[in-house]
Amino acid sequence: MSTSPPVLAAEGVEKHFRLGRRDIPVLRGVDLQIHAGEKVALLGASGAGKSTLLHLLGLLDKPSGGRVLYDGAPVHDLPVAERARLRHQQVGFVFQFYHLIPELTALQNVLLARMMATSVLGYWGQRKQARAAAKALLEQVGLGDRLHHRPAELSGGERQRVAIARALLAEPKVVLADEPTGNLDSTTAKGVVDLMFSIQQERGLAFLLVTHDEGLAGRCDRVVRMRDGVVVA
Amino acid sequence: MYRLFLALRYLLTRPINLLSIGGITISVWALVVVVSVFSGYLHVVEQHVRTASADAAVIGLPPWAEWSRLSKVLRDDPNVAAAAPRLAHYGMLQRPGQRPPPAPLPGRGALIGGDQPFLSVIGIDPAAELETTGFAGWLVAPEVPPALRCADPAAPLAPRDGRPTVLIGLERMQREGLAPGDRVVLTTAALDTAPDGDKAPRKVQLELTVGGAFKTAHAGFDGNTVFVALDTLRHELYGERDDFVPEIAVRVRDERQLDATVERLERAVQAATERDSRGFGRVLTWRQKHELYLGNVAHQRGLLKIVLIVIMVVAAFLMLATLSMMVTEKTGDIGILAAMGGTPLGVTTVFLSCGLVITGVGIVLGLGSGTLTAVYLEEIRQGVRWATGVDLLKVDVYGLDRVPCYLEPVWMLEVAGMALLTGLVVSALPALRAAFHDPLVSLRGS
Ligand SMILES: Nc1ncnc2c1ncn2[C@@H]1O[C@H](COP(=O)(O)OP(=O)(O)OP(=O)(O)O)[C@@H](O)[C@H]1O
Ligand SMILES: [Mg+2]
């Protein structure tokens, strides 16, 4: 492939959790590289540490050992604010349970991603453009007519589409999806996955997809399997 | 931006927060309105006392204090315009042959006076007094009917029918049915010191002719005070000590320098009365002299402030309860905020902003409604009286015709500051709880 460093990489990443006196090792040295435009599926039994790895890759948590690199530069040890900024710029998350904010409409939920990194005045200056971008994304995910609906008024599939639009508004290089279809029936799931893959293609995103679905994994460029805290294939 | 936006959305979708806003509004409103009414009363009372007082007073002079000496000492001060000797004593006034009235019930009439038999009898030198206090104006106040006025306001204490004269407060005069020319008897006591140092009281009765009425704005002063000639009173009480002066009223040229002047005068007076290397006499501003009386209203205002601040504390607890509930409900959102690039500080700010928005709106509404209420209080009082017959505020206690009200910008700022601080503290607790919530917990659980 290309000679440029991977967009996202894990080098010997370890993670232990302390439970009282006991130290529970969850990740025992994970190595992983994802390049721009690459779709990677992450498979593994429940409790294998997939979500934990995803959180570490997205800088939501600090590894107990090893390194996380963005574009070849180590980022796991940066200060909280710096990691938050990188997370905002580089990573879009999609979760199994959508995590939409119930008080906000679909449009506002998406717009929130733009508000995260701007001041009140800064946002005011670009509000029209931000709204247009959010609307375009919602239209792209097929929710052009549901802009002003609250999450409670949307179906599971529609909520996940809103979450996808939200993850993409800040134009990240990487999308980390943790069982995005885990809560959807197979038809809806297929629609959501098709949508994600087409956007991934169009934007050349690096895409890490955690799933239990072998069929879905087969549609990715590469499959990574985890067992007991290590990558086995 | 997301902080303010989310804070507003959280608030607007939860009408219970209106309760918190209402709590803050009410406490700010009460603090503004009630305190401004008390400040109004205080202001009025102060003005009343002011018009009935000299700028400053020398009091507590020792038995060897001499007017000839002290008047010179006082006049040497650059800021002293005039000084008048005074002798403040006590007594009872009755018509000849009439028994003195019974002693009053404790506490009655203490505030406005006039219905108790003990009077403050002040001996004055009219010529000096005219220059030093508002005395000249009190004699010709428009409220005093011509029939009750002194025959000659320029010499109000000139003897009449061969007897010394007495000037009596207008209302007491009217109540007792007295008129200029009537005979009255002043009963008082002197304290004689025998050559061996023993002190013994001596009853003094003085036959006087009523000279006329006086009226100041200070009903408490008028009701409790009569004026007689200094010479007459001094002679009755102290015999031949013609130059003795126990008290002096002082008028200053520049009132802004009053405090400094009073300190200077006290040093000068004490130097002039020094004996056994110890000075005597004190010099007080009019405000210090009536501290007890003025302090009474100020003290009531202070107590009320404390009582009203309790309302703010209650409002604070209300706000704490609703905000805590909200944070508990919204911890689920903390995970996704972190995933989108939020920091713990940012999350804190969201909930802190909720509290500050509530407080801010409460303060603005409270200050606004409080100011309106205070300004239109008299109209409101009349409206309530017209509609229900209930008079909310007694104004005739201080001889006023409308509710006094004095909005103090500094106090309003203090109230706003207090409310803001309360809001900050109260929202900080739930906000910090949100800050320490692990976003991953929200992201794992559904
Ligand atoms: N905060 C924590 N404290 C202690 N143990 C934890 C904590 N978070 C995760 N674990 C443990 O780490 C292990 C891996 O969890 P993780 O959620 O990463 O698994 P997973 O592969 O995503 O599983 P699933 O497919 O069910 O989502 C589990 O055994 C879990 O109990
Ligand atoms: Mg998981």
Side-chain angles (χ1 to χ4, degrees):
Chain A
M1 283 184 74
S2 72
T3 49
S4 60
V7 180
L8 182 62
E11 283 181 1
V13 163
E14 295 175 16
K15 183 72 188 175
H16 313 273
F17 287 109
R18 278 207 94 79
L19 262 189
R21 291 249 198 95
R22 279 176 42 223
D23 216 25
I24 302 174
V26 173
L27 299 181
R28 305 159 189 258
V30 174
D31 293 308
L32 185 67
Q33 294 194 342
I34 306 175
H35 291 271
E38 198 182 13
K39 294 196 289 280
V40 178
L42 185 58
L43 285 174
S46 187
K50 306 182 294 294
S51 298
T52 304
L53 178 62
L54 216 68
H55 296 156
L56 290 174
L57 292 175
L59 303 183
L60 277 169
D61 207 354
K62 280 190 175 189
S64 316
R67 306 199 297 168
V68 175
L69 303 100
Y70 282 13
D71 296 320
V75 290
H76 57 277
D77 241 0
L78 294 172
V80 178
E82 196 59 15
R83 281 190 290 145
R85 197 181 55 77
L86 271 178
R87 198 183 312 135
H88 175 75
Q89 286 177 352
Q90 307 263 25
V91 185
F93 276 102
V94 180
F95 298 99
Q96 180 178 358
F97 297 108
Y98 330 124
H99 289 291
L100 298 179
I101 291 177
E103 284 86 355
L104 307 184
T105 63
L107 184 62
Q108 289 169 335
N109 262 294
V110 175
L111 274 174
L112 197 59
R114 180 62 66 88
M115 296 180 189
M116 292 308 293
T118 48
S119 65
V120 173
L121 283 182
Y123 181 77
W124 189 250
Q126 48 159 283
R127 67 192 188 287
K128 288 216 177 83
Q129 181 234 327
R131 273 180 82 89
K135 266 187 187 165
L137 267 169
L138 280 166
E139 269 158 27
Q140 191 178 2
V141 300
L143 291 174
D145 53 346
R146 315 299 298 267
L147 298 179
H148 303 294
H149 289 231
R150 298 265 172 92
E153 298 156 354
L154 299 173
S155 73
E158 286 164 343
R159 288 184 212 182
Q160 197 58 298
R161 287 162 188 267
V162 176
I164 291 167
R166 176 180 63 188
L168 295 173
L169 185 72
E171 300 183 351
K173 292 190 196 165
V174 184
V175 170
L176 302 176
D178 196 351
E179 299 182 46
T181 57
N183 241 19
L184 305 175
D185 66 77
S186 55
T187 327
T188 316
K190 184 168 183 309
V192 167
V193 170
D194 289 347
L195 175 70
M196 284 194 298
F197 283 0
S198 79
I199 292 174
Q200 183 270 336
Q201 197 89 49
E202 176 192 313
R203 301 198 173 196
L205 296 170
F207 201 103
L208 182 63
L209 176 69
V210 173
T211 181
H212 289 286
D213 181 341
E214 293 279 351
L216 180 53
R219 293 178 60 189
C220 292
D221 305 325
R222 190 147 64 87
V223 176
V224 174
R225 291 178 199 276
M226 277 183 75
R227 189 179 305 142
D228 294 334
V230 286
V231 171
V232 291
Chain B
M1 164 72 195
Y2 76 98
R3 303 174 184 96
L4 191 61
F5 178 73
L6 266 189
L8 289 177
R9 293 311 309 169
Y10 284 173
L11 287 179
L12 290 175
T13 48
R14 285 177 177 70
I16 188 144
N17 289 305
L18 288 176
L19 267 182
S20 305
I21 293 180
I24 300 283
T25 304
I26 289 172
S27 64
V28 170
W29 175 87
L31 278 165
V32 168
V33 173
V34 176
V35 169
S36 79
V37 169
F38 266 79
S39 294
Y41 274 118
L42 189 62
H43 222 61
V44 165
V45 167
E46 255 181 24
Q47 277 172 352
H48 288 180
V49 168
R50 180 78 190 92
T51 56
S53 313
D55 295 342
V58 185
I59 61 164
L61 288 169
W64 58 89
E66 291 165 339
W67 169 243
S68 54
R69 171 112 188 267
L70 287 173
S71 63
K72 206 178 150 311
V73 166
L74 294 175
R75 274 177 232 272
D76 278 349
D77 189 279
N79 197 30
V80 169
R86 280 183 163 198
L87 198 172
H89 203 68
Y90 298 91
M92 289 188 296
L93 208 61
Q94 79 241 39
R95 289 168 187 269
Q98 213 176 39
R99 276 159 54 90
L105 293 172
R108 277 205 67 200
L111 194 58
I112 56 168
D115 58 353
Q116 51 117 344
F118 298 108
L119 291 166
S120 180
V121 181
I122 303 183
I124 55 170
D125 170 358
E129 196 71 25
L130 289 171
E131 283 179 26
T132 309
T133 60
F135 185 64
W138 307 341
L139 299 176
V140 296
E143 294 92 338
V144 181
L148 297 184
R149 292 194 181 189
C150 307
D152 179 8
L157 288 173
R160 200 165 154 175
D161 308 333
R163 278 186 296 271
T165 49
V166 58
L167 301 172
I168 304 173
L170 176 63
E171 261 126 67
R172 175 175 288 267
M173 192 120 143
Q174 285 171 328
R175 195 174 50 244
E176 311 255 319
L178 291 166
D182 287 352
R183 276 177 57 200
V184 287
V185 177
L186 176 71
T187 309
T188 182
L191 200 61
D192 290 341
T193 312
D196 60 3
D198 275 1
K199 293 188 184 214
R202 167 172 53 87
K203 179 176 174 183
V204 174
Q205 282 207 310
L206 218 85
E207 288 216 6
L208 303 164
T209 305
V210 176
F214 68 90
K215 169 117 186 95
T216 72
H218 182 8
F221 180 79
D222 293 3
N224 287 313
T225 310
V226 297
F227 290 108
V228 295
L230 173 68
D231 294 340
T232 313
L233 191 61
R234 182 165 54 197
H235 185 76
E236 289 297 328
L237 298 177
Y238 302 106
E240 301 307 316
R241 289 157 55 190
D242 286 344
D243 203 19
F244 170 57
V245 60
E247 225 179 281
I248 303 170
V250 176
R251 182 160 66 84
V252 296
R253 291 180 208 281
D254 182 0
E255 213 191 316
R256 282 165 306 179
Q257 298 175 26
L258 187 58
D259 290 327
T261 308
V262 158
E263 278 176 29
R264 204 162 55 224
L265 289 181
E266 185 161 291
R267 281 196 299 275
V269 166
Q270 293 193 347
T273 57
E274 187 178 315
R275 194 170 272 196
D276 301 335
S277 64
R278 190 187 144 208
F280 293 82
R282 297 209 54 205
V283 185
L284 304 177
T285 65
W286 64 274
R287 202 185 283 276
Q288 290 168 333
K289 187 160 185 239
H290 298 280
E291 204 167 60
L292 212 62
Y293 185 74
L294 297 175
N296 191 25
V297 181
H299 180 241
Q300 288 179 30
R301 184 178 60 172
L303 279 180
L304 263 166
K305 281 183 186 174
I306 293 174
V307 171
L308 293 175
I309 285 172
V310 171
I311 303 184
M312 192 172 276
V313 173
V314 173
F317 276 112
L318 194 68
M319 194 166 137
L320 182 64
T322 49
L323 279 180
S324 297
M325 256 162 51
M326 196 164 91
V327 169
T328 308
E329 250 178 80
K330 300 319 295 175
T331 47
D333 294 355
I334 292 173
I336 189 62
L337 289 178
M340 282 196 288
T343 55
L345 184 67
V347 170
T348 318
T349 322
V350 171
F351 293 102
L352 209 57
S353 306
C354 286
L356 289 184
V357 168
I358 290 177
T359 317
V361 173
I363 289 174
V364 168
L365 290 180
L367 286 183
S369 61
T371 306
L372 280 179
T373 311
V375 168
Y376 291 104
L377 198 58
E378 177 61 22
E379 285 71 14
I380 294 171
R381 167 177 164 252
Q382 284 175 7
V384 171
R385 197 167 51 177
W386 175 81
T388 67
V390 178
D391 197 353
L392 292 175
L393 296 151
K394 288 253 176 277
V395 292
D396 46 2
V397 179
Y398 295 105
L400 305 177
D401 54 0
R402 58 175 289 139
V403 182
C405 161
Y406 186 69
L407 281 167
E408 289 168 316
V410 173
W411 171 244
M412 294 175 69
L413 279 179
E414 277 172 18
V415 170
M418 220 153 40
L420 202 62
L421 198 71
T422 311
L424 204 67
V425 169
V426 161
S427 21
L429 298 173
L432 282 177
R433 188 154 65 83
F436 287 110
H437 178 82
D438 184 356
L440 292 178
V441 170
S442 310
L443 287 176
R444 282 176 191 281
S446 66

